[in-house]
Amino acid sequence: MPNRQDYDAQSSKHSEQSFFRFNRVAKVPLGVDDDDSYMDMSDETAHLKPRQQHWANKMQFVLACIGYSVGLGNVWRFPYMCYKSGGGVFLVPYCIILFICSIPLLFMELSVGQYTGRGPIGALGQLCPLFKGAGLASVVVSFLMSTYYSVIIGYSIYYFFTSFKTEMPWIDCNNRWNTPDCWVPQRKGINASAPDTSRTPSEEFFENKVLQISGGLEYPGMMRWELFACLICAWLMVYFATWKSIKSSAKVRYFTATFPFVLIIILMVRAVTLDGAAEGLRFFFRPKWSELKNANVWINAASQNFNSLGITFGSMISFASYNKYNNNILRDTVAVSAVNMITSLLVGIFAFSTLGNLALEQNTNVRDVIGDGPGMIFVVYPQAMAKMPYAQLWAVMFFFMLLCLGLNSQFAIVEVVVTSIQDGFPRWIKRHLGYHEIVVLFVCVISCLFGMPNIIQGGIYYFQLMDHYAASVTIMFLAFCQMIAIAWFYGTGRLSKNVKQMTGKAPSFYLRSCWLVLGPCLLFAIWVLSLINYHEPTYHNGRYTYPDWAYGIGWMFASFSLICIPGYAVINFLRSTGDTFWERIRNTLRPNIYECKICGEHHCEHDFPEQEQFMLAQEMATVYKPTNPHLLHLGQKCGYNAMQASPSHAEAGGPCGQ
């Protein structure tokens, strides 16, 4: 074809950003139409194509992953889960699960997302259609998490503005919401003994002023309108940071993913110098081995691993789906895992050093110094701020940092829900909603409405119930199903081949063995242990026990995600072709990935079906503009040739346009 090389040279900037057949053949500049349903094909055909939009640079993807890892999963959830599970004993299953399950699963998710160019539903639907429901289940869990993670952001906004007061209200017991149990040893003298039921000012401020907590879930109480306003502000920030997908959220993360590191290190250095910090660190690092037989310790360790790294929630698959095809996945996995582990330890040292100081002041042990509820960080951290010079300034900076961390986590959660909706229903979205911004608005409004029960006076009990059943109990089963679907049915051989095609190097024996044997066995063992030795959640170190009907609500939340796996399997089985039962099973286990007839690869420029050529010609005829004057003298027929990617001569005043 004459002058083809000249045309390719001018279009190289587009081909560098696109590693799939659509861009390489059609030469459509990035941004002409980022809608996945641009081809207006059927849903079953459209989901075979990787997405067109990409991260602007490598740093945006790394910051997105690190921002999710160094988010609420670490700063809020890690100390809360560790304290709830007995301290140092929590670190043992946490590290075991991290190296056997979490890191290999993170590499697997990044590989799958980058190779398929789809969110969790589309990716698993291509690799193993029978387990497509596992992708849908992860999206359901992410949606449920978005309803109460935003409440943490709302709390952070409340504390942020409260920190600007002349005297912070959580440093003494002279406020109207304080009770006789409030105890500040510095104000009452060194020789005074704390009462057995003593409580810190920060604990009373959180429960009596912020939450105005009721006696239990059976006493819902009134709406906390101040928290309602903070929740609305939180969702407005989330919406305007994600309404342009990665184009907007990636820019915000340059600040929200880097600023928290500096502050965490400064606060940790201050915390370890407090009186009694050694006792808190001893509780954090010294395991109580007898607690290892407690199933909840292993459940909490597994859920914390998956929450902090963002795996099995679909976030990492969605992030990786915006990667370029030849991105180095192994380097990203090591970087994200290392940052996640280091941050968890730093936050743990900070939190438990402060707990040791509180225990010394309250004349009690670290295990009983405060309640083990999800609001622990709003009790421990404000108390630490009050002991620093220029306490008001540090409080403002800390809660602003917590706000940034919450937004990082929420960006990822909302992104995976929106991405999955667009991947699953591209034609319906284009026909009824039209714009990406409308889809994001729809998701944000629905999530905000579902989060309302968390901000009533009994909302903290509902909050803990949601967190335990929606993000802890079910998460191991989802991880197990995901590993089985990809490693066993799609095959480690196929996945290793895909990774080698993208990066030039196959996964190591360590990763393959964890995918195939070690990871599934460990997850299955924990799941069985959790069923045999399961204990219902309680609040405030067992002082409050949920009514029986509350556990029914909790298992209902768990079933929302679990039912997706067998439900979708049955639907795909009934839709599959075959005369016998086993033929249908084999068809639903067969990968549904496009492979070139010439080279067998997913991303190439050899094969292009005639139907797509025709549809491309129809679509491109109205938007394609010639830029190369040499092509005007090729003597081609009028119109667009999809195979040659040559423009029409009409608009340049050529023979067709005359």
Side-chain angles (χ1 to χ4, degrees), residues 20-22 33 35-50 118 422-431 594 608-619:
F20 52 91
R21 300 177 299 118
F22 180 80
D33 193 345
D35 186 10
D36 292 329
S37 58
Y38 180 81
M39 302 284 292
D40 198 26
M41 299 160 65
S42 67
D43 291 354
E44 293 298 321
T45 305
H47 87 279
L48 297 176
K49 288 184 173 298
R118 287 288 145 190
Q422 290 182 320
D423 286 351
F425 311 99
R427 297 183 66 193
W428 188 91
I429 294 295
K430 184 176 181 180
R431 185 181 304 113
Y594 169 82
F608 207 74
E610 293 182 358
Q611 180 184 6
E612 296 184 8
Q613 295 177 31
F614 174 76
M615 299 184 75
L616 271 175
Q618 300 301 314
E619 295 286 350

Coordinates of all heavy atoms in Angstrom, one line a residue, residues 20-22 33 35-50 118 422-431 594 608-619:
F20 N -4.6 -2.4 21.3 CA -5.6 -3.4 20.8 C -6.0 -3.0 19.4 O -5.6 -2.0 18.9 CB -6.8 -3.5 21.8 CG -7.4 -2.2 22.1 CD1 -8.5 -1.7 21.3 CD2 -7.0 -1.4 23.1 CE1 -9.1 -0.5 21.5 CE2 -7.7 -0.2 23.4 CZ -8.7 0.2 22.6
R21 N -6.7 -3.9 18.8 CA -6.9 -3.9 17.3 C -7.7 -2.7 16.9 O -7.4 -2.1 15.8 CB -7.7 -5.2 16.9 CG -7.0 -6.4 17.3 CD -7.8 -7.6 16.9 NE -9.0 -7.7 17.6 CZ -10.2 -7.6 17.1 NH1 -10.4 -7.5 15.8 NH2 -11.3 -7.7 17.8
F22 N -8.6 -2.2 17.7 CA -9.4 -1.1 17.2 C -8.6 0.1 16.9 O -8.7 0.7 15.9 CB -10.5 -0.8 18.3 CG -11.4 0.4 18.0 CD1 -12.5 0.2 17.2 CD2 -11.1 1.6 18.5 CE1 -13.3 1.2 16.9 CE2 -12.0 2.7 18.2 CZ -13.1 2.5 17.4
D33 N -13.8 9.1 21.4 CA -15.0 8.5 22.1 C -14.5 7.5 23.0 O -14.1 6.4 22.7 CB -16.0 7.9 21.0 CG -17.3 7.6 21.6 OD1 -17.5 7.6 22.8 OD2 -18.2 7.4 20.8
D35 N -16.4 6.0 25.1 CA -17.5 5.1 25.5 C -17.1 3.7 25.0 O -16.8 3.4 23.9 CB -18.8 5.5 24.9 CG -19.9 4.7 25.3 OD1 -19.8 3.9 26.3 OD2 -21.0 4.9 24.8
D36 N -17.3 2.7 25.9 CA -17.0 1.3 25.5 C -17.9 0.8 24.5 O -17.6 -0.2 23.8 CB -17.0 0.4 26.8 CG -15.9 0.7 27.7 OD1 -14.8 1.2 27.2 OD2 -16.0 0.6 28.9
S37 N -19.1 1.3 24.4 CA -20.1 0.8 23.4 C -20.1 1.7 22.1 O -21.1 1.8 21.4 CB -21.5 0.9 24.1 OG -21.8 2.2 24.5
Y38 N -18.9 2.2 21.8 CA -18.8 3.1 20.6 C -19.2 2.3 19.3 O -19.8 2.9 18.4 CB -17.4 3.6 20.5 CG -17.2 4.5 19.3 CD1 -17.5 5.8 19.4 CD2 -16.6 4.0 18.1 CE1 -17.3 6.6 18.3 CE2 -16.4 4.8 17.1 CZ -16.7 6.1 17.1 OH -16.5 6.9 16.1
M39 N -18.9 1.1 19.3 CA -19.2 0.3 18.1 C -20.7 -0.1 18.0 O -21.1 -0.5 17.0 CB -18.4 -1.0 18.2 CG -16.9 -0.8 18.2 SD -16.2 -0.4 16.7 CE -16.5 -1.9 15.7
D40 N -21.4 0.1 19.1 CA -22.8 -0.2 19.1 C -23.1 -1.6 18.8 O -24.0 -1.9 18.1 CB -23.6 0.8 18.2 CG -25.1 0.8 18.5 OD1 -25.4 0.5 19.7 OD2 -25.9 1.0 17.6
M41 N -22.2 -2.5 19.3 CA -22.4 -3.9 19.0 C -23.2 -4.5 20.1 O -23.5 -3.9 21.1 CB -21.0 -4.6 18.9 CG -20.2 -4.0 17.7 SD -18.5 -4.3 17.9 CE -18.5 -6.1 17.8
S42 N -23.5 -5.8 20.1 CA -24.2 -6.5 21.1 C -23.3 -6.6 22.4 O -22.1 -6.5 22.3 CB -24.6 -7.9 20.7 OG -23.4 -8.7 20.5
D43 N -23.9 -6.8 23.5 CA -23.2 -6.8 24.8 C -22.2 -8.0 24.7 O -21.0 -7.8 25.2 CB -24.1 -7.0 25.9 CG -24.9 -5.8 26.2 OD1 -24.7 -4.8 25.5 OD2 -25.8 -5.8 27.0
E44 N -22.5 -9.1 24.2 CA -21.7 -10.3 24.2 C -20.4 -10.0 23.3 O -19.4 -10.5 23.6 CB -22.4 -11.5 23.7 CG -23.5 -12.0 24.6 CD -23.0 -12.4 26.0 OE1 -21.9 -13.0 26.0 OE2 -23.6 -12.1 27.0
T45 N -20.5 -9.2 22.3 CA -19.4 -8.9 21.4 C -18.6 -7.7 22.0 O -17.4 -7.8 21.9 CB -19.9 -8.6 20.0 OG1 -20.7 -9.7 19.5 CG2 -18.7 -8.4 19.1
A46 N -19.3 -6.7 22.5 CA -18.6 -5.6 23.0 C -17.6 -5.8 24.1 O -16.6 -5.2 24.3 CB -19.6 -4.5 23.4
H47 N -18.0 -6.8 25.0 CA -17.2 -7.0 26.2 C -15.8 -7.8 25.8 O -15.0 -7.9 26.6 CB -17.9 -7.9 27.2 CG -17.8 -9.3 27.0 ND1 -18.6 -10.0 26.1 CD2 -17.0 -10.2 27.6 CE1 -18.3 -11.3 26.2 NE2 -17.3 -11.5 27.1
L48 N -15.7 -8.2 24.5 CA -14.5 -8.9 24.2 C -13.3 -7.9 23.9 O -12.2 -8.2 23.9 CB -14.7 -9.7 22.9 CG -15.7 -10.8 23.0 CD1 -15.8 -11.5 21.6 CD2 -15.2 -11.9 24.0
K49 N -13.7 -6.6 23.7 CA -12.7 -5.6 23.4 C -12.2 -5.0 24.7 O -12.9 -4.6 25.5 CB -13.2 -4.5 22.5 CG -13.5 -5.0 21.1 CD -13.9 -3.9 20.2 CE -14.0 -4.3 18.8 NZ -12.7 -4.7 18.2
P50 N -10.8 -4.8 24.8 CA -10.3 -4.0 25.9 C -10.8 -2.5 25.8 O -11.1 -2.1 24.7 CB -8.8 -4.1 25.8 CG -8.6 -5.3 24.9 CD -9.8 -5.4 24.0
R118 N -10.8 -5.1 31.1 CA -12.1 -5.0 31.6 C -12.2 -5.0 33.1 O -11.2 -5.3 33.8 CB -12.9 -6.2 31.1 CG -13.3 -6.2 29.7 CD -14.3 -5.1 29.4 NE -14.1 -4.5 28.1 CZ -14.8 -3.4 27.7 NH1 -15.7 -2.8 28.5 NH2 -14.5 -2.9 26.5
Q422 N -20.7 -0.1 33.4 CA -20.5 0.2 32.0 C -20.0 -1.0 31.2 O -20.4 -1.1 30.0 CB -19.5 1.3 31.9 CG -20.0 2.7 32.4 CD -19.0 3.8 32.3 OE1 -17.8 3.6 32.5 NE2 -19.5 4.9 31.9
D423 N -19.2 -1.9 31.8 CA -18.8 -3.1 31.1 C -20.0 -4.0 30.9 O -20.0 -4.7 29.8 CB -17.7 -3.8 31.9 CG -16.4 -3.0 31.8 OD1 -16.3 -2.1 31.0 OD2 -15.5 -3.4 32.6
G424 N -20.8 -4.1 31.9 CA -21.9 -5.1 31.8 C -23.1 -4.7 30.9 O -23.7 -5.5 30.3
F425 N -23.3 -3.4 30.8 CA -24.5 -2.9 30.1 C -24.1 -1.7 29.2 O -24.7 -0.6 29.4 CB -25.6 -2.5 31.0 CG -25.9 -3.5 32.1 CD1 -25.4 -3.4 33.4 CD2 -26.7 -4.6 31.8 CE1 -25.6 -4.3 34.3 CE2 -27.0 -5.6 32.8 CZ -26.4 -5.4 34.1
P426 N -23.2 -1.9 28.3 CA -22.7 -0.7 27.5 C -23.8 -0.1 26.6 O -23.9 1.1 26.5 CB -21.6 -1.3 26.6 CG -21.9 -2.8 26.6 CD -22.5 -3.1 27.9
R427 N -24.6 -0.9 26.0 CA -25.7 -0.4 25.1 C -26.8 0.3 25.9 O -27.3 1.3 25.5 CB -26.2 -1.5 24.2 CG -25.2 -2.1 23.3 CD -25.9 -3.2 22.4 NE -26.8 -2.6 21.5 CZ -27.7 -3.3 20.8 NH1 -27.7 -4.6 20.9 NH2 -28.5 -2.7 19.9
W428 N -27.2 -0.3 27.0 CA -28.2 0.3 27.8 C -27.8 1.6 28.4 O -28.6 2.6 28.4 CB -28.6 -0.7 29.0 CG -29.8 -0.3 29.7 CD1 -31.1 -0.6 29.5 CD2 -29.8 0.6 30.9 NE1 -31.9 0.0 30.4 CE2 -31.2 0.8 31.3 CE3 -28.8 1.3 31.6 CZ2 -31.6 1.5 32.4 CZ3 -29.2 2.1 32.7 CH2 -30.6 2.2 33.1
I429 N -26.5 1.7 28.8 CA -26.0 2.9 29.4 C -26.0 4.0 28.3 O -26.4 5.1 28.6 CB -24.6 2.7 29.9 CG1 -24.6 1.8 31.1 CG2 -23.9 4.0 30.3 CD1 -25.3 2.3 32.3
K430 N -25.6 3.6 27.1 CA -25.5 4.6 26.0 C -26.9 5.1 25.6 O -27.1 6.3 25.4 CB -24.8 4.0 24.8 CG -24.6 5.0 23.7 CD -23.8 4.4 22.6 CE -23.5 5.4 21.4 NZ -22.7 4.8 20.3
R431 N -27.9 4.2 25.7 CA -29.2 4.6 25.2 C -30.0 5.4 26.3 O -30.7 6.3 25.9 CB -30.0 3.3 24.9 CG -31.3 3.5 24.3 CD -32.1 2.2 24.0 NE -31.3 1.4 23.1 CZ -30.8 0.2 23.5 NH1 -31.0 -0.2 24.7 NH2 -30.1 -0.5 22.6
Y594 N -11.0 -13.1 22.8 CA -10.7 -13.0 21.4 C -9.2 -13.4 21.2 O -8.3 -12.9 22.0 CB -10.9 -11.6 20.9 CG -10.3 -11.3 19.6 CD1 -11.0 -11.7 18.4 CD2 -9.0 -10.8 19.4 CE1 -10.4 -11.6 17.2 CE2 -8.4 -10.6 18.2 CZ -9.2 -11.0 17.0 OH -8.6 -10.8 15.8
F608 N -9.1 -8.9 11.6 CA -10.1 -8.0 11.9 C -11.4 -8.4 11.1 O -11.4 -8.4 9.9 CB -9.7 -6.6 11.3 CG -10.3 -5.4 12.1 CD1 -9.9 -5.1 13.4 CD2 -11.3 -4.7 11.5 CE1 -10.5 -4.1 14.0 CE2 -11.9 -3.7 12.1 CZ -11.5 -3.3 13.4
P609 N -12.4 -8.9 11.8 CA -13.6 -9.5 11.2 C -14.2 -8.5 10.2 O -14.2 -7.3 10.4 CB -14.5 -9.8 12.4 CG -13.5 -9.9 13.5 CD -12.4 -9.0 13.3
E610 N -14.8 -9.1 9.2 CA -15.5 -8.2 8.2 C -16.6 -7.4 8.7 O -16.9 -6.3 8.3 CB -16.0 -9.1 7.0 CG -14.8 -9.8 6.2 CD -15.4 -10.6 5.1 OE1 -16.6 -10.6 4.9 OE2 -14.6 -11.2 4.4
Q611 N -17.4 -8.0 9.7 CA -18.5 -7.2 10.3 C -18.0 -6.0 11.0 O -18.6 -4.9 10.8 CB -19.2 -8.1 11.3 CG -20.4 -7.4 11.9 CD -21.0 -8.3 13.0 OE1 -20.5 -9.3 13.3 NE2 -22.1 -7.8 13.6
E612 N -16.9 -6.1 11.6 CA -16.3 -4.9 12.3 C -15.8 -3.9 11.3 O -15.9 -2.7 11.5 CB -15.2 -5.3 13.3 CG -15.8 -6.2 14.4 CD -14.7 -6.5 15.4 OE1 -13.6 -5.9 15.3 OE2 -14.9 -7.3 16.3
Q613 N -15.3 -4.4 10.2 CA -14.8 -3.5 9.1 C -16.0 -2.6 8.7 O -15.8 -1.4 8.5 CB -14.2 -4.3 8.0 CG -13.0 -5.1 8.3 CD -12.5 -5.9 7.1 OE1 -12.8 -5.4 5.9 NE2 -11.9 -7.0 7.3
F614 N -17.1 -3.3 8.4 CA -18.3 -2.5 7.9 C -18.7 -1.5 8.9 O -19.0 -0.3 8.6 CB -19.4 -3.5 7.5 CG -20.7 -2.8 7.1 CD1 -20.8 -2.3 5.9 CD2 -21.7 -2.7 8.0 CE1 -22.0 -1.6 5.5 CE2 -22.9 -2.1 7.7 CZ -23.0 -1.6 6.4
M615 N -18.8 -1.9 10.2 CA -19.3 -1.0 11.2 C -18.3 0.1 11.5 O -18.8 1.3 11.7 CB -19.6 -1.8 12.5 CG -20.6 -2.9 12.4 SD -20.9 -3.8 13.9 CE -22.0 -2.5 14.7
L616 N -17.1 -0.2 11.4 CA -16.1 0.9 11.5 C -16.2 1.9 10.4 O -16.1 3.1 10.6 CB -14.7 0.3 11.5 CG -14.1 -0.1 12.9 CD1 -12.7 -0.8 12.6 CD2 -13.9 1.1 13.7
A617 N -16.4 1.4 9.2 CA -16.6 2.3 8.0 C -17.8 3.2 8.2 O -17.7 4.4 7.9 CB -16.8 1.5 6.8
Q618 N -18.9 2.7 8.8 CA -20.1 3.5 9.0 C -19.8 4.6 10.1 O -20.3 5.7 10.0 CB -21.3 2.6 9.4 CG -21.6 1.6 8.3 CD -22.0 2.2 7.0 OE1 -22.8 3.2 6.9 NE2 -21.4 1.7 5.9
E619 N -19.2 4.1 11.1 CA -18.9 5.1 12.3 C -17.9 6.1 11.9 O -18.1 7.3 12.2 CB -18.5 4.3 13.5 CG -19.5 3.3 14.1 CD -20.6 4.1 14.8 OE1 -20.5 5.3 15.0 OE2 -21.6 3.4 15.1

